[in-house]
Amino acid sequence: MGRRVDYARELNPAQLEAVRTLFGPILVIAGAGSGKTRTLVYRVARLVEEGVPPERILLLTFTRKAAREMLRRAALVLDASCERVSGGTFHSLSHQMLREYGHLIGYGPHFTVLDRGDAEDAINLLRSALGLSEKGRRFPKKDTLSAIFSKAVNQGRSLEEILEREYPHFLEHLPEIERLFGEYQRYKREHQLMDYDDLLLNWYRVLLEHRGVREEIARRFEFIMVDEYQDTNRLQAEIVRLMAEGHGNVMVVGDDSQSIYAFRGANFRNILEFPKLFPGARIIKLEENYRSTQPILDLANAVIARAREKYTKCLFTRRKGGRKPVLYRARDEADQSRFIAERILELREEGVPLSEIAVLFRAAFHSFDLELELAKRDIPFVKYGGLKLIEAAHIKDVVAHLRIILNPYDLLSWHRVLLLLEGVGPRTAERIIAQLRGASDPVEALRQFPARPSYERGLLRLAETLRELRQISSVEERLARLIDYYQPLLERIYHDDYPKRERDLESLLTLSHKYQDLSDFLADLALEPPESSVAGLEPETEDEEHLVLSTIHSAKGLEWHTVFVISLSEGRFPSAYAVGHEEDLEEERRLFYVAVTRARENLFLCHPVTGYVPGEGRVILKPSRFIEELSADLYEPFREEPEEVSPPLESSGAFRPGDVVWHPRFGEGEVRDVLGEEKVRVYFLGHGEKTLHLKFARLERL
């Protein structure tokens, strides 16, 4: 009987090798855009076509949706029997297996699985029972405790290591957190409960402790395939090893260069050490890329070539042509935002839909300045990974205070501000607001309010701060003073993750620096596109076209016609938190590789030359090492169309036309003319042209 599928015609040589190699351990290193899903789909079809009963094939993926889609596609390639292949996630498989084999470790077949909310409630119950939720204690909240416990299980680290690395402000509570963790484990065993992480942990225990189960599983699943293997954690890799122990027919597909989820417990070493777990493993590399132009791939190859540990590969495409990636060295963040907005409008004129353009960044707060610029220009966008600036609760808290300065009768803002105070609940807030409503000066009326001792101090501190803020004219100084006032409130209200929120407040302070007027600042913050951000990455409908702003973590697996990667400065990308740890720095490099390989046609890399740092003023930002390491022939520097400027005068003055300068009152500007030895004409952002006498003007070149 002849083959029903012409594999040689449908697949490239490397894909074909992976599909035809049926027995033994196989590691498929699938470069970005190299058709890994196609390879898995055709291998499922090939195994079924060879006569392997579909039920004896196991396909493990990271979402059930991905497994269903692959099996649906395999059915289209061969026939409907492919949909009978066992497909799902590690957690769904573990759940199914523990219903059968859980009795071996003391669980009946009807154990209850706790979802995240249930798990947090159970932790809270035990927290109260142990007396760890007394008022006034800065003990972690239930959701934070749940996250700490989960990280310890998935990363195979001690609770102390997790706290030291991610929650150092809770290290003083280590003994109590360890005690609570022990109680939580006991509580689950006694009540026949398992949380999400227990499914993996307990299935691993069953496999490890019972050889007979391993033999049964090897007979049940004769062929095992795993997608996105670079994202597996320590437990998942061990589960694969134990399940395949009887036959070794396991194929894992992944890309070590795209291992970027260490914070979720993914272990980069799993894919590197696969040949050790499975001696004699065959390694097949998929290097032909079906997404990007060769100039983009050349840059991506150069980025990952410097990785300390890797499977060497070189992405190539058969597509001809393509523009080199563009490097834009912006004067500052505002210039970076202007550049991106202008390029986006040009691309739209050229017929590139907004939904085919993405701006990618290392951390959510890196896009705050750009969000304001896009809103001003009515460019609609959606943001993935982190909130828009104005949607974050702590930013709303601070902005509410500023709104009161501008409009003392903004009762909505008063309500928010009052509820931040300890001892003030909704009823008390309403009573205070009732008195402020009719007052000629609500801030002064607040000082006169007959407060109870429980909140009197907080109320007076608020009144004094608002009074002080009214007397400061500089937007930046006002905000700096307000953040000082707000800091203890931030630590009390958001005590589990306040260090992360502090970075957002710092970004807000940086934004405020370029504003002279508080009402302009608040108006720009309030300028929001019609759609707010959404939780999942869903394709846009034709009448809902938006630009995509996304963290790189949220962009993995996606692609766009044009991609901008922004804020490529040391301390931002790579993150300042990664620079001291070699492993973290390597993951930052892989993150950059993921970012550049999202682009099909155009790639723009943006580096602001200067930045404003609260407390330090304007500083020179060092370019990201990932840019500095690149050979100059891999990209083109962007050059604006030259403006007509007067020729430089024969003067020995310190400034020349085109110089970027800084003035203490007018901020950043560009020298347009040198008028003799002592005068210059400078164009300042937001202030227009000014003629300055160098003897008196404190002008600095940036």
Side-chain angles (χ1 to χ4, degrees):
M1 194 176 128
R3 295 217 175 276
R4 282 178 276 171
V5 181
D6 186 348
Y7 296 95
R9 195 187 68 167
E10 298 292 334
L11 304 165
N12 69 37
Q15 292 171 335
L16 187 61
E17 185 187 354
V19 166
R20 282 180 173 166
T21 308
L22 302 182
F23 296 96
I26 309 154
L27 170 59
V28 177
I29 300 295
S34 64
K36 74 172 177 65
T37 302
R38 187 176 184 82
T39 304
L40 283 164
V41 164
Y42 275 83
R43 191 166 188 269
V44 167
R46 179 65 181 255
L47 284 166
V48 173
E49 196 179 30
E50 287 287 341
V52 179
E55 297 79 8
R56 297 208 174 168
I57 303 167
L58 176 64
L59 173 63
L60 289 169
T61 60
F62 271 79
T63 64
R64 279 192 279 195
K65 185 181 172 187
R68 283 197 304 271
E69 178 60 19
M70 283 189 211
L71 298 182
R72 186 190 68 78
R73 283 175 59 180
L76 293 174
V77 168
L78 189 70
D79 60 42
S81 64
C82 291
E83 297 200 74
R84 300 207 312 274
V85 164
S86 302
T89 64
F90 278 92
H91 290 90
S92 63
L93 171 80
S94 299
H95 178 248
Q96 182 191 337
M97 294 297 107
L98 286 167
R99 292 286 181 207
E100 291 181 47
Y101 298 107
H103 65 276
L104 296 169
I105 55 167
Y107 279 90
H110 304 297
F111 64 84
T112 301
V113 179
L114 300 173
D115 64 22
R116 189 178 177 91
D118 295 333
E120 288 173 6
D121 288 344
I123 289 168
N124 209 35
L125 194 73
L126 296 166
R127 181 173 174 258
S128 298
L130 293 172
L132 300 174
S133 52
E134 296 149 12
K135 211 171 181 184
R137 284 175 62 96
R138 292 270 178 96
F139 198 72
K141 294 176 185 170
K142 60 181 182 179
D143 53 338
T144 304
L145 288 163
S146 177
I148 291 168
F149 296 166
S150 182
K151 284 171 192 281
V153 172
N154 284 302
Q155 295 178 20
R157 296 176 187 264
S158 68
L159 290 169
E160 186 173 10
E161 284 177 283
I162 299 296
L163 292 181
E164 275 177 357
R165 199 173 173 86
E166 297 186 47
Y167 304 89
H169 49 300
F170 288 137
L171 265 170
E172 61 180 297
H173 298 302
L174 176 63
E176 294 142 306
I177 291 171
E178 286 176 331
R179 185 169 153 224
L180 179 58
F181 183 62
E183 281 298 304
Y184 179 51
Q185 302 297 74
R186 182 189 59 74
Y187 176 84
K188 287 183 293 183
R189 280 194 304 274
E190 280 181 10
H191 294 84
Q192 292 284 294
L193 304 169
M194 288 192 211
D195 63 24
Y196 208 51
D197 301 315
D198 292 327
L199 295 173
L200 294 182
L201 191 61
N202 288 334
W203 177 227
Y204 166 68
R205 271 186 61 202
V206 169
L207 288 167
L208 187 67
E209 295 168 14
H210 300 276
R211 185 176 177 176
V213 174
R214 296 201 295 275
E215 289 169 353
E216 278 181 46
I217 293 299
R219 286 192 294 273
R220 184 188 295 198
F221 301 120
E222 292 176 12
F223 293 88
I224 298 173
M225 286 183 278
V226 185
D227 187 23
E228 303 282 15
Y229 190 71
Q230 79 279 350
D231 294 335
T232 53
N233 64 29
R234 182 185 57 91
L235 276 174
Q236 289 162 330
E238 280 298 305
I239 286 169
V240 171
R241 180 181 69 81
L242 293 169
M243 286 176 64
E245 191 181 78
H247 49 64
N249 297 330
V250 57
M251 181 173 100
V252 302
V253 181
D255 183 3
D256 53 302
S257 302
Q258 295 187 71
S259 179
I260 59 171
Y261 293 118
F263 68 96
R264 287 187 197 160
N267 190 341
F268 173 67
R269 307 224 63 79
N270 286 352
I271 196 163
L272 291 182
E273 293 173 1
F274 182 82
K276 284 185 190 170
L277 280 183
F278 292 91
R282 185 168 183 170
I283 299 175
I284 300 168
K285 295 177 186 176
L286 306 185
E287 296 172 294
E288 182 171 354
N289 179 283
Y290 294 93
R291 176 186 300 156
S292 308
T293 61
Q294 193 60 50
I296 291 171
L297 297 178
D298 290 342
L299 187 139
N301 288 331
V303 168
I304 211 63
R306 287 179 169 265
R308 188 166 48 95
E309 291 181 281
K310 61 184 177 297
Y311 288 103
T312 303
K313 59 183 173 300
C314 189
L315 297 178
F316 69 92
T317 181
R318 295 179 199 273
R319 291 173 62 190
K320 300 296 177 204
R323 303 173 197 159
K324 279 188 181 182
V326 171
L327 175 65
Y328 183 61
R329 294 191 190 275
R331 287 196 299 273
D332 57 12
E333 265 193 304
D335 185 37
Q336 174 180 260
S337 301
R338 176 199 59 80
F339 168 78
I340 291 167
E342 286 174 3
R343 295 296 80 69
I344 286 166
L345 293 172
E346 284 172 12
L347 285 160
R348 197 159 62 169
E349 287 296 310
E350 291 167 18
V352 180
L354 276 182
S355 56
E356 273 292 329
I357 306 171
V359 182
L360 305 182
F361 31 85
R362 171 64 185 86
F365 68 89
H366 292 172
S367 71
F368 288 169
D369 189 273
L370 177 62
E371 289 171 42
L372 296 183
E373 183 69 22
L374 295 171
K376 275 186 200 170
R377 293 177 185 247
D378 290 326
I379 299 174
F381 66 91
V382 285
K383 182 175 178 181
Y384 303 114
L387 292 169
K388 290 178 184 170
L389 174 64
I390 197 64
E391 289 171 355
H394 49 296
I395 298 289
K396 284 183 170 180
D397 293 345
V398 169
V399 166
H401 290 81
L402 294 176
R403 285 183 174 149
I404 289 170
I405 300 300
L406 212 57
N407 173 13
Y409 297 97
D410 181 342
L411 301 184
L412 204 62
S413 292
W414 272 115
H415 193 260
R416 185 176 192 102
V417 161
L418 290 168
L419 287 178
L420 296 173
L421 303 179
E422 203 161 8
V424 175
R427 281 187 186 173
T428 305
E430 284 303 326
R431 277 208 319 277
I432 297 170
I433 287 169
Q435 183 156 325
L436 303 185
R437 191 182 274 121
S440 58
D441 184 344
V443 173
E444 280 305 310
L446 186 67
R447 291 166 58 80
Q448 310 304 323
F449 185 81
R452 289 182 184 171
S454 59
Y455 60 86
E456 182 182 20
R457 192 166 159 226
L459 212 59
L460 282 173
R461 188 168 169 260
L462 170 62
E464 199 52 51
T465 302
L466 292 172
R467 196 175 169 191
E468 197 180 319
L469 290 176
R470 290 201 296 196
Q471 288 158 27
I472 302 171
S473 58
S474 157
V475 177
E476 184 189 356
E477 281 177 41
R478 264 182 178 161
L479 188 54
R481 172 68 189 92
L482 176 55
I483 289 171
D484 283 346
Y485 159 79
Y486 180 67
Q487 184 70 30
L489 303 180
L490 177 79
E491 290 181 26
R492 176 175 60 79
I493 298 162
Y494 307 104
H495 65 78
D496 284 24
D497 63 352
Y498 75 84
K500 290 178 185 172
R501 295 174 188 261
E502 282 173 338
R503 295 207 293 276
D504 289 349
L505 294 176
E506 208 167 279
S507 296
L508 190 67
L509 195 54
T510 302
L511 280 180
S512 73
H513 172 72
K514 61 183 181 182
Y515 287 87
Q516 306 297 317
D517 185 89
L518 182 59
S519 59
D520 288 347
F521 180 54
L522 292 178
D524 279 359
L525 283 179
L527 269 174
E528 283 296 306
E531 295 291 317
S532 58
S533 62
V534 292
L537 283 168
E538 295 296 331
E540 305 293 334
T541 58
E542 281 179 32
D543 57 332
E544 278 187 324
E545 199 185 283
H546 296 85
L547 169 72
V548 173
L549 307 187
S550 177
T551 60
I552 301 162
H553 285 103
S554 297
K556 186 171 174 283
L558 301 171
E559 59 182 71
W560 292 272
H561 175 281
T562 297
V563 168
F564 296 84
V565 187
I566 65 170
S567 294
L568 282 161
S569 307
E570 283 292 300
R572 287 202 155 193
F573 197 176
S575 157
Y577 299 94
V579 174
H581 303 91
E582 196 170 3
E583 273 182 31
D584 293 348
L585 202 50
E586 286 294 293
E587 180 152 319
E588 295 283 304
R589 177 181 302 284
R590 298 193 293 270
L591 199 58
F592 183 51
Y593 174 81
V594 167
V596 301
T597 53
R598 300 309 95 201
R600 292 201 301 270
E601 302 289 338
N602 298 324
L603 174 64
F604 291 90
L605 306 174
C606 300
H607 160 237
V609 175
T610 67
Y612 182 76
V613 177
E616 292 181 41
R618 185 157 293 273
V619 296
I620 302 294
L621 299 177
K622 196 177 171 192
S624 166
R625 65 192 68 196
F626 304 139
I627 293 178
E628 294 287 84
E629 292 164 356
L630 293 172
S631 165
D633 61 357
L634 290 169
Y635 58 81
E636 285 179 355
F638 181 85
R639 288 184 177 85
E640 302 266 16
E641 290 298 313
E643 290 181 26
E644 284 190 27
V645 291
S646 308
L649 298 179
E650 297 295 318
S651 115
S652 58
F655 299 102
R656 295 184 178 190
D659 280 355
V660 179
V661 293
W662 178 257
H663 185 274
R665 182 172 166 204
F666 303 121
E668 185 178 298
E670 185 182 69
V671 176
R672 292 287 167 89
D673 271 324
V674 178
L675 310 169
E677 287 191 4
E678 294 188 331
K679 285 186 183 175
V680 288
R681 191 158 68 239
V682 183
Y683 175 78
F684 289 102
L685 295 171
H687 296 279
E689 286 195 351
K690 305 280 181 189
T691 299
L692 301 174
H693 197 294
L694 294 175
K695 195 172 177 183
F696 308 110
R698 286 180 295 154
L699 204 59
E700 296 169 33
R701 182 191 280 109
L702 290 177

